[in-house]
Amino acid sequence: MKGEAYISGIGISEVGVRLTRSAMGLTMDAIKEAVADAGLTLAQIDGVSTYPGKMQQFLGFSPIGVDEVIEACGLNTRWHTGAAESTAQLGAIADAAAAVRSGMARHVICFRTVYEAAALSRPDEYPPLERRKDVTGNSQWVSPFGAFSAACWTAQFAMRHMKRYGMTREQLAQVAINDHRNAALNPRAIVKEPLTMDTYMSARLISTPFCLYDCDRFTDASTVVIVSAGDALDEVTATPIRIAASAGSVERYSWDQAEWASAYPTGRALWENTDYTAKDLDTIQLYDGFAFQPITWLEGLGICEIGEGHKFIEGGSRIALDGELPMNTGGGQLGWGRLHGFGYAYESVVQLRGQGGARQIKGDPKLAVATSGGGPMAAALLLARD
């Protein structure tokens, strides 16, 4: 449909830890798979979008830039973008959707490549971040307080839910348990075995209340989705998934930041751009760099009331594959791997197309939400199979 944007193709590389295949090799694997999935050729691609762009000072985090993809693929682009100054990871897909709706491009490769595990194992090729005596930018608000890692400040939000709303670690555990159970059904996931409550509760703490299983781990992988214009779907052979709405927000990084993480304003804003409501959702793919973040998204999206997220997932039955609202069906970042946001868009398309195999949810799913971030920055996509 003219004026609309669709995800027409998806691809993902091998997902692993300390892989020897190069970051560009992984990226090209995912691009080729996505292009083939859409039934397109590289000659038809005229746009590229990524987050956060190549970061020379932190190559493991983001080793590949837009220009390198354009060169490697031999593309002639009319539009491209890639920068960290964005709402969050999935903002790159929202940007591409805006580009095709406006006629600036017809088919856009959107990619996110991570190489953190491999980079740590090869410091000569991928130098670690240099320690500085001074701090600048966003780090000036967190590093002096020993909170350089997102685990530190995310844990503070989680502790508030424990103190104010009565969340327990057993309730929090359901996110990791659900992720591991679903990942065990996903042949491309890192985790191969389910997680028990006893194993979870006996794991070492990282930043209270988070234990080892509440935190994603460095992963090497590339994930790609192709965003196509509605009036270009005659060139596509796969089932297109419409980007029905998107939203994003960025809060201040300073220590007197807003009381609520950005998942809350972003979740509310998503519904302002569509006639759908949270009750229409068939599956939810919620960012889980840390296990508490899906709880904030459940509340921010209005799936449950603020302060009720931990109760919504208690026992795990509601969010299970056969539950009323299956969550992170591919295993999320705690089970599949740290795909840094793009995995949720990928998995949403898999489920809406009915291609999930052993992890496919029941019924005829037509609407999914995919989110990324949720702390000081957040982005969300509402994806529909019309």
Side-chain angles (χ1 to χ4, degrees), residues 83-105:
E85 289 83 2
S86 176
T87 50
Q89 301 92 319
L90 294 180
I93 298 176
D95 289 345
V100 302
R101 289 188 186 111
S102 67
M104 298 178 70

Side-chain angles (χ1 to χ4, degrees), residues 49-297:
S49 182
T50 191
Y51 169 94
K54 188 170 185 176
M55 301 185 72
Q56 292 288 355
Q57 76 280 17
F58 197 7
L59 281 176
F61 179 71
S62 191
I64 304 296
V66 166
D67 290 344
E68 291 171 297
V69 165
I70 291 172
E71 284 289 341
C73 294
L75 303 178
N76 293 310
T77 60
R78 298 190 293 155
W79 176 89
H80 62 265
T81 186
E85 289 83 2
S86 176
T87 50
Q89 301 92 319
L90 294 180
I93 298 176
D95 289 345
V100 302
R101 289 188 186 111
S102 67
M104 298 178 70
R106 288 172 64 80
H107 302 290
V108 180
I109 288 173
C110 304
F111 74 95
R112 177 75 180 102
T113 301
V114 288
Y115 209 58
E116 291 171 289
L120 284 174
S121 68
R122 306 205 299 272
D124 291 342
E125 298 177 61
Y126 297 89
L129 281 171
E130 180 183 354
R131 291 186 176 272
R132 298 170 56 100
K133 294 181 180 180
D134 60 334
V135 290
T136 59
N138 293 331
S139 65
Q140 68 183 297
W141 304 111
V142 292
S143 295
F145 302 94
F148 180 79
S149 169
C152 301
W153 50 260
T154 306
Q156 290 184 331
F157 283 113
M159 281 301 296
R160 181 179 63 178
H161 256 59
M162 286 186 159
K163 299 295 184 180
R164 182 180 293 182
Y165 301 116
M167 182 179 75
T168 66
R169 286 197 64 215
E170 287 80 3
Q171 291 167 327
L172 181 65
Q174 293 303 328
V175 174
I177 290 173
N178 181 72
D179 278 0
H180 281 235
R181 181 171 58 239
N182 293 343
L185 300 174
N186 181 357
R188 305 181 88 163
I190 290 177
V191 168
K192 303 301 182 184
E193 299 291 338
L195 175 68
T196 67
M197 181 65 76
D198 287 344
T199 300
Y200 173 92
M201 295 299 291
S202 63
R204 63 185 175 91
L205 289 174
I206 301 298
S207 182
T208 308
F210 295 153
C211 73
L212 184 67
Y213 294 106
D214 291 314
C215 309
D216 65 11
R217 56 175 166 167
F218 288 163
T219 305
D220 311 316
S222 183
T223 313
V224 170
V225 305
I226 296 177
V227 175
S228 296
D231 59 359
L233 291 184
D234 59 339
E235 303 171 19
V236 172
T237 59
T239 300
I241 302 299
R242 183 166 59 91
I243 301 175
S246 62
S249 64
V250 178
E251 301 288 354
R252 290 156 52 198
Y253 277 79
S254 56
W255 218 238
D256 59 346
Q257 62 186 291
E259 181 180 5
W260 297 101
S262 55
Y264 291 86
T266 301
R268 295 294 190 264
L270 183 67
W271 305 115
E272 297 172 2
N273 302 321
T274 178
D275 292 331
Y276 289 114
T277 71
K279 294 181 180 179
D280 297 316
L281 288 167
D282 296 304
T283 182
I284 50 177
Q285 309 295 332
L286 305 182
Y287 192 83
D288 59 346
F290 302 99
F292 178 65
Q293 288 171 316
I295 292 173
T296 68
W297 279 111

